[in-house]
Amino acid sequence: MKILDYIVVGSGCSGAMSAQTLVEAGKQVTMVDVGATNPKYHDMVPEKDFITLRKTDPEQYRYLLGSEIEGVSWAQIGKGAQITPARKHMYKHADTHLRMDSKNFFPIESLGYGGAGIGWGVQCWEYSDADMRMAGLDPQKMSQAYETVARRIGISGTNDGTGKYTLGTLKTYQPSPKMDRNHKYIMGKYDKHLKYFQKLGLHMGRTPLALLTKDKGNRKAYAYQDMDFYTDKHRSAWRPWIAVDELRKNNSFTYIGGYMVKTFKEKDDYVELVCVNVDTGKEESFYCRSLILGSGVLGTARIVLRSLGAKKRLPILCNPYTYIPCLQPAMVGKEAEPGKMGFAQLSLFLDENNDNVDTSVASLYSYQSLMMFRVIKQIPFLSFTDARVLMQWLMPGLVIMGVHHPDKHSDNKYMELVPDKHSATGDSLKVHYELGAEELAELDRREKKMVSAMRKTGTFALKRINPGYGASVHYAGTLPFSDEEKSFTLARNGRLHGTKKVFVADSSGFEYLPSRGVTFTLLANAHNVAEGVLAHGS
Ligand SMILES: Cc1cc2nc3c(=O)[nH]c(=O)nc-3n(C[C@H](O)[C@H](O)[C@H](O)COP(=O)(O)OP(=O)(O)OC[C@H]3O[C@@H](n4cnc5c(N)ncnc54)[C@H](O)[C@@H]3O)c2cc1C
């Protein structure tokens, strides 16, 4: 039996970042992961921009729709609407290995190489100090960790009047990418009506992104090809597999893919990790001195519930999310715009008490390189053929607002593991997630306020769509931080209470989930957890 020093589970954001910290400290690290890939699409996209490819490439359907047209779905638009054929491996094995049982919670989970980070939108806000305290995080430690993460992944942003909501105290960042015409138009109107917005507690600024606008090592500055949903060729957008690929060049790092962790068992001076080989279904064990779980909030909950063997309900946090297609009449009928991008460009914050806590945030996107079938089916009363002609005119004026709200624990948000004979692990995660009438009324009020104010920018909401709870893909709070040695909680350094050498690097410990995307903060926390593991000694 070979006992490894450190095992990190998962190649997603939290696994990649904690592994990088351990490797940079000179430790021998093994990553155990399912890590599904899809090499078929790697080199398929020619080195050209979206408009040129649409006009000239007879083979374009292969990467835009999928060589088996697997990218076309007539199901309801909701979670993961932007996941294209090249990224479908994000979902591989999820039906059999990550089974869910819920009537009101529909999360996105991934067993892909890079986890949900294969498709993430790279929006990287810092939490405010007040948000961090509510989440149980130490602002001072986090501020240093944000800086470390930003140096590693590369952030672009603008310290404009809204800097305190976006970049926070961050010092290491590149300039934001150029705005396209839809966003320039919105920003121009916002500036003109600044006082009106400020009076309402609304603040708009550039969205910080994990996207390079200057070259960094072997990653290239964003080339404005508008192919962001189809290829990562230039590696301008940071994705966790990019970090893991780099780690794999290092002799002190070993990657073991194709293994699904079922349980851990802590012995006197080592931890046994019991895994299932996803191809053969056979069980196999790995052994280590310290275990770091970066398996995503729901994945980690599954492993912990199985391992501790208790029938236990865990709490859950997830940002409520509403998707709002809007129209900018001033842009309708215009030619397609060269040099556009698929990432969010502006963020609108609602901070009515001016204290940077309990805010809601809307991210704004224009719509060009995602195929139109995703929106055509939202158009009422018209057949597909008629709607397609109409949409061709409307699309240049289409702006999507994605609104996220904060989330707090409640008795109506919980999960447990239940037996399931159809599951490769023998169980399903049963989740119940419900918001109370008061919470719903408050979210409705906030969204109406944002939608109404956006009219001042010449941007008119067509419809508010609730894609179902879980669709925000921001999860936390299942194993909340605690200063007491209580089961199913985490110590502040990420150690799972009741164990000596089992740590959790993802956002499972956060006691509150601010509206701003969780990922920059979970990356910083994963770095801090790895530092804590090092301080603890192997
Ligand atoms: C379309 C989309 C857009 C998004 N946009 C943003 C955004 O703009 N900003 C933002 O803040 N967040 C965004 N997110 C959310 C963000 O992707 C997640 O917060 C982040 O990826 C979570 O990282 P993680 O490492 O904690 O978990 P995951 O990404 O879920 O990674 C888990 C890893 O663990 C592995 N794993 C899981 N269980 C096991 C097991 N039992 N055994 C072995 N391996 C296992 C998986 O293979 C995977 O590699 C987005 C998500 C999606 C899907």
Side-chain angles (χ1 to χ4, degrees), residues 5-19:
D5 288 345
Y6 298 91
I7 290 185
V8 173
V9 179
S11 59
C13 293
S14 46
M17 199 47 55
S18 48

Side-chain angles (χ1 to χ4, degrees), residues 9-15 32-35 80 82-83 90 98 108-117 119-125 259-262 294-297 299 303 306 365 472-474 506-507 517-520 522:
V9 179
S11 59
C13 293
S14 46
V32 176
D33 185 31
V34 176
Q82 62 278 63
I83 303 303
M90 235 178 86
L98 294 174
I108 290 185
E109 286 185 272
S110 172
L111 291 173
Y113 182 56
W120 82 305
V122 304
Q123 299 174 63
C124 270
W125 302 278
Y259 285 89
M260 175 89 190
V261 176
K262 273 180 84 177
S295 13
V297 167
I303 296 171
R306 264 182 229 127
Y365 307 79
S472 66
V473 207
H474 301 160
D506 52 46
S507 45
V518 66
T519 308
F520 193 33
L522 77 76

Side-chain angles (χ1 to χ4, degrees), residues 165-324:
Y165 298 103
T166 55
L167 290 165
T169 58
L170 197 71
K171 293 180 196 69
T172 315
Y173 57 92
Q174 303 183 350
S176 288
K178 289 182 289 191
M179 272 193 285
D180 64 18
R181 66 185 174 206
N182 303 80
H183 291 87
K184 270 191 205 146
Y185 185 82
I186 293 173
M187 199 64 201
K189 298 262 181 191
Y190 168 80
D191 284 339
K192 198 167 152 203
H193 299 289
L194 187 62
K195 286 221 167 81
Y196 163 85
F197 279 93
Q198 285 176 338
K199 211 166 145 196
L200 293 174
L202 284 163
H203 308 271
M204 190 182 283
R206 298 302 311 272
T207 310
L209 300 169
L211 180 75
L212 301 180
T213 51
K214 294 179 180 173
D215 292 355
K216 181 172 167 39
N218 57 8
R219 294 172 52 210
K220 298 280 168 246
Y222 186 64
Y224 299 95
Q225 291 187 335
D226 199 13
M227 291 300 288
D228 319 318
F229 297 108
Y230 305 99
T231 175
D232 295 304
K233 227 177 210 170
H234 302 142
R235 300 186 171 201
S236 319
W238 183 87
R239 305 205 174 274
W241 58 260
I242 295 178
V244 181
D245 272 5
E246 285 302 309
L247 290 173
R248 289 171 81 169
K249 294 178 185 163
N250 198 310
N251 286 337
S252 54
F253 181 82
T254 308
Y255 177 81
I256 303 179
Y259 285 89
M260 175 89 190
V261 176
K262 273 180 84 177
T263 56
F264 60 80
K265 291 180 198 155
E266 195 168 39
K267 308 283 164 84
D268 278 349
D269 60 347
Y270 66 91
V271 184
E272 179 183 359
L273 205 55
V274 182
C275 303
V276 184
N277 181 311
V278 287
D279 295 324
T280 64
K282 272 170 85 176
E283 271 195 10
E284 230 172 285
S285 285
F286 299 97
Y287 305 88
C288 60
R289 301 276 175 220
S290 297
L291 173 65
I292 298 103
L293 296 172
S295 13
V297 167
L298 305 177
T300 295
R302 287 181 162 94
I303 296 171
V304 170
L305 283 166
R306 264 182 229 127
S307 305
L308 301 189
K311 272 200 146 209
K312 170 80 182 161
R313 272 189 178 177
L314 299 183
I316 167 100
L317 295 173
C318 174
N319 294 130
Y321 174 65
T322 301
Y323 162 93
I324 309 177

